[in-house]
Amino acid sequence: MENNPGIDIPYGRPLRFLVFSASLRNDSLNTKLIRLVVQAIEKNGGHVDLASMIEFDCPSYNQDLEPAGKQPEAAKEFRNRLLANDAFVISSPEYNGSMPGFLKNAIDWVSRFRPQPFNERNLLLMSASPSMAGGNRALWSLRVPFEHLGTRVYPDMFSLATAHKAFSPDGNLADATLAKRLEDNVLNFMNLTESSIHYPCIKKAWVEFLGEKPDPVTERVE
Ligand code: FNR
């Protein structure tokens, strides 16, 4: 698929979202949060491609491997999954006030493909942490490489504070206000993604105004 996915996408098909938790551990709080994102996207008519950080986890970046075309399979997989979807959502842990090193490493590998796959792609950032700030500093640190790479990082980010106590036994957020805020955040991101994917189609489309008389001047506008 070409770098800008906007032009040739049929209007009306479900938007596709690559979604993953950037934690490698079992029982991850971020993975629990990302399951709720999956539910919210599907409830609002989107298609989810749920990935795991294990699939995208790469050996340490080494520029010597590039000319030989020895990029890790995990980097190719991350690139391919980005290209196969309209937008992506990451829920990231915060390690020492920043993003996990393996996530930055994967971003560095993928940034070397051409066309550069993060460019002009919509991204929603989330985090979950036992701390009171919910891992929010990891998200601010992630903005730096992503904005450098041309990614459209959604302005509103969702950070789940005291995440170890936030989930009810059924996996939902115990606090109904917080649950609504999460769903609203996801829905608003979906709406913006939809406009950026479909608006180029609308600009090119013929639009009929029903009820107007078939006058060549007023019948259709471009
Ligand atoms: C952490 N943790 C953490 N939490 C936080 O809010 N701010 C931080 O700076 C850090 N730093 C940090 C460093 C390292 C090396 C580890 C292992 C952990 C705690 C972290 O938020 C917690 O372990 C989360 O549960 C990790 O996310 P997952 O794996 O549960 O999704």
Side-chain angles (χ1 to χ4, degrees):
M1 185 184 288
E2 64 283 331
N3 207 28
N4 180 349
I7 299 299
D8 295 323
I9 293 172
Y11 180 77
R13 69 144 174 80
L15 293 171
R16 298 169 304 212
F17 295 88
L18 173 63
V19 174
F20 68 96
S21 155
S23 173
L24 293 167
R25 79 181 186 99
N26 295 323
D27 210 26
S28 152
L29 296 168
N30 285 279
T31 304
K32 287 184 182 169
L33 181 58
I34 217 73
R35 287 191 196 115
L36 299 181
V37 174
V38 170
Q39 285 178 19
I41 291 174
E42 290 179 341
K43 180 179 162 192
N44 289 288
H47 174 84
V48 174
D49 175 7
L50 179 61
S52 140
M53 188 67 225
I54 293 169
E55 296 175 89
F56 303 150
D57 190 26
C58 301
S60 291
Y61 178 78
N62 180 347
Q63 199 167 356
D64 287 344
L65 298 179
E66 276 185 40
K70 290 180 183 161
Q71 293 101 336
E73 288 305 314
K76 293 178 191 165
E77 179 67 15
F78 194 178
R79 187 263 316 256
N80 292 344
R81 301 281 279 277
L82 284 167
L83 296 183
N85 287 279
D86 299 310
F88 62 124
V89 184
I90 303 177
S91 187
S92 175
E94 178 176 286
Y95 287 174
N96 297 310
S98 187
M99 73 190 88
F102 50 81
L103 179 56
K104 177 63 163 52
N105 187 48
I107 294 168
D108 290 340
W109 272 112
V110 172
S111 72
R112 305 298 290 174
F113 290 107
R114 294 294 177 273
Q116 191 267 97
F118 294 116
N119 191 35
E120 296 186 16
R121 237 154 251 286
N122 288 287
L123 166 64
L124 176 62
L125 287 172
M126 315 203 133
S127 63
S129 158
S131 77
M132 290 301 289
N136 190 255
R137 288 173 298 178
L139 305 189
W140 285 105
S141 74
L142 276 164
R143 278 189 170 269
V144 175
F146 278 125
E147 291 192 10
H148 170 82
L149 291 165
T151 308
R152 297 164 181 163
V153 187
Y154 192 68
D156 202 2
M157 307 185 288
F158 187 91
S159 292
L160 185 62
T162 56
H164 58 307
K165 295 189 283 193
F167 295 94
S168 51
D170 64 4
N172 290 311
L173 292 178
D175 184 317
T177 307
L178 213 49
K180 177 160 186 341
R181 193 186 300 169
L182 172 64
E183 187 176 342
D184 286 351
N185 201 163
V186 171
L187 183 56
N188 290 339
F189 172 67
M190 291 177 74
N191 285 337
L192 188 69
T193 302
E194 180 166 24
S195 66
S196 76
I197 297 294
H198 291 315
Y199 179 61
C201 302
I202 294 169
K203 277 198 296 189
K204 290 191 348 174
W206 286 101
V207 180
E208 288 190 35
F209 289 96
L210 300 176
E212 289 188 349
K213 61 182 185 214
D215 178 292
V217 178
T218 57
E219 186 184 24
R220 289 160 176 258
V221 295
E222 189 174 7

